[in-house]
Amino acid sequence: MEQQVVFTNNICQAIEDFTNRINHDRLFILFDTSTIRLCMPLLVPFLNKYESAHGGQKVHQIIIEATDNAKTVESLTEVWTELSTHGATRHSLLINVGGGMVTDLGGFAAATFKRGIRFINVATTLLGAVDAAVGGKTGVNLGNLKNEVGSFAPADAVLISTAFFETLDHDNLLSGYAEMLKHGILSSKQHLSDLLQYDVQHWTSDSLLPLLEYSVNVKRNVVRQDPYEQGLRKALNLGHTFGHAFETWCMQNRCPVLHGFAVAWGLVCELIMSHQQVGFSSEMMYEIARFVRDNYGPLHFTCDDYDALFELMKHDKKNEGDEINFTLMSEIGTPALNHSADKEQIGVVLDIYRDLMGI
Ligand code: GLY
């Protein structure tokens, strides 16, 4: 299950190294309609070199829609069909170039096509680099249910180049940064403090890179110990029980938010719950809430929305039986897994969240 993760400032060379190393008969590249426009131009030197080194054999490009709404069984079928009609065999190689939507869907397409072909993820967003591309979770959504169908299938390699982040807008940068905050809370006071002090509004690739490398390694360490989420990996769900409910609620109310924004608000809620249930420090909780409020702003809702949020949490696939499952933190670096809360306790957390966020 161990994945190679490579940070590089020469993405063409890194792709060439891995395509040389992985035996394959045909090469396919999956883009979405954004990454074909913004990222493909950076890969042209590799594509030209590859095609001339392989007697002019074309690298077949597959393009899917660029929204999370496209992470569907229909898009998956399109990818399988493209692979099939362009001669992919069990020995073909797929390179997924994109954010989480592309690496999740492309990874699942590769994991299932002819019972599995090898694939490489080239993460082009901060969120993809720090979370989705790494760790072997692949899948697609089913209606409103996120990642409802999928498998554990590690990429042969995950390639991360901050050159792609130059085209990210600030909100997408913040979206990835929320998962970095989560890794900070899960790892150490020092790393968390570096993240809280980092001037995320004026980020640069150079200054972000050391924080990103550390953050990716936090995730890799967890995945190495528990690749199939039998125990410790549940720690990576911190912020996501509330977070997924917020994300779906926003989508249903036609005001969609980026995943990381929902996670940032979810982290605040789950740290409030951590304080109440397992003694997480209130100072730390306030400090993180302040960072989230200042950088992400608040999510606006009222107590009339609590029922809807509670219903969404009940459908979270992390639950077992009728209990709503939460990953909490007793202190920075010490997760407390498999906690549950009832409707009343969740309502109290939402009340405090609204207070802390000033809404
Ligand atoms: N995104 C959480 C995990 O990969 O387990």
Side-chain angles (χ1 to χ4, degrees), residues 234-235 237-239 241 270 274 325-329 335-338:
K234 291 183 189 173
N237 295 328
L238 179 68
T241 307
E270 290 175 27
S274 297
N325 188 284
F326 292 92
T327 290
L328 302 181
M329 299 298 298
L337 305 178
N338 298 323

Side-chain angles (χ1 to χ4, degrees), residues 130-132 134-137 152 179 182-183 219 222-223 226-227 229 233-237 240 259:
V130 82
D131 190 23
V134 179
K137 282 188 181 175
F152 287 98
E179 295 285 357
K182 178 190 82 178
H183 291 163
K219 174 156 185 182
V222 172
V223 172
D226 178 22
E229 200 166 306
R233 188 169 179 165
K234 291 183 189 173
L236 297 174
N237 295 328
H240 283 68
H259 175 72

Side-chain angles (χ1 to χ4, degrees), residues 116 209 290 356:
L209 190 60
R290 209 165 27 244
L356 288 183

Side-chain angles (χ1 to χ4, degrees), residues 201-237:
Q201 301 296 333
H202 300 102
W203 74 282
T204 62
S205 300
D206 284 349
S207 59
L208 188 66
L209 190 60
L211 292 172
L212 173 60
E213 289 199 42
Y214 191 102
S215 193
V216 170
N217 282 325
V218 171
K219 174 156 185 182
R220 291 177 76 204
N221 277 334
V222 172
V223 172
R224 194 176 289 129
Q225 294 173 67
D226 178 22
Y228 299 109
E229 200 166 306
Q230 298 303 301
L232 181 64
R233 188 169 179 165
K234 291 183 189 173
L236 297 174
N237 295 328

Side-chain angles (χ1 to χ4, degrees), residues 104-315:
D104 280 8
L105 187 145
F108 190 49
T112 45
F113 184 76
K114 293 194 191 282
R115 299 206 177 88
I117 63 172
R118 300 178 76 176
F119 69 101
I120 295 171
N121 286 337
V122 177
T124 61
T125 62
L126 183 60
L127 184 64
V130 82
D131 190 23
V134 179
K137 282 188 181 175
T138 69
V140 294
N141 302 334
L142 193 64
N144 272 342
L145 302 174
K146 292 177 71 64
N147 303 320
E148 187 72 354
V149 182
S151 70
F152 287 98
D156 279 84
V158 180
L159 310 181
I160 297 171
S161 162
T162 50
F164 292 122
F165 302 169
E166 306 293 343
T167 52
L168 279 188
D169 58 50
H170 189 62
D171 280 355
N172 273 290
L173 200 279
L174 280 175
S175 183
Y177 205 78
E179 295 285 357
M180 291 174 64
L181 276 182
K182 178 190 82 178
H183 291 163
I185 296 165
L186 290 170
S187 60
S188 71
K189 283 191 178 141
Q190 184 56 56
H191 181 51
L192 178 63
S193 148
D194 291 345
L195 290 166
L196 293 174
Q197 279 165 32
Y198 184 68
D199 184 0
V200 74
Q201 301 296 333
H202 300 102
W203 74 282
T204 62
S205 300
D206 284 349
S207 59
L208 188 66
L209 190 60
L211 292 172
L212 173 60
E213 289 199 42
Y214 191 102
S215 193
V216 170
N217 282 325
V218 171
K219 174 156 185 182
R220 291 177 76 204
N221 277 334
V222 172
V223 172
R224 194 176 289 129
Q225 294 173 67
D226 178 22
Y228 299 109
E229 200 166 306
Q230 298 303 301
L232 181 64
R233 188 169 179 165
K234 291 183 189 173
L236 297 174
N237 295 328
L238 179 68
H240 283 68
T241 307
F242 278 92
H244 279 151
F246 289 147
E247 196 175 359
T248 309
W249 181 81
C250 288
M251 197 157 50
Q252 289 175 348
N253 285 287
R254 297 184 208 292
C255 57
V257 292
L258 293 173
H259 175 72
F261 278 66
V263 169
W265 299 319
L267 286 172
V268 174
C269 289
E270 290 175 27
L271 293 180
I272 294 168
M273 191 179 275
S274 297
H275 173 62
Q276 293 179 326
Q277 289 205 15
V278 291
F280 185 77
S281 131
S282 58
E283 290 78 32
M284 219 15 131
M285 176 189 86
Y286 285 125
E287 198 178 334
I288 295 166
R290 209 165 27 244
F291 184 92
V292 170
R293 189 194 59 209
D294 292 350
N295 289 286
Y296 295 80
L299 172 67
H300 288 271
F301 56 85
T302 71
C303 48
D304 291 341
D305 301 308
Y306 289 9
D307 280 352
L309 289 166
F310 180 71
E311 284 308 311
L312 290 170
M313 280 182 229
K314 277 203 326 207
H315 288 109

Side-chain angles (χ1 to χ4, degrees), residues 70-99:
K71 204 170 119 181
T72 58
V73 180
E74 288 73 27
S75 307
L76 179 65
T77 306
E78 277 174 38
V79 176
W80 284 327
T81 307
E82 287 275 321
L83 289 169
S84 183
T85 52
H86 290 86
T89 71
R90 194 175 259 190
H91 306 288
S92 297
L93 175 64
L94 177 66
I95 304 178
N96 300 313
V97 181

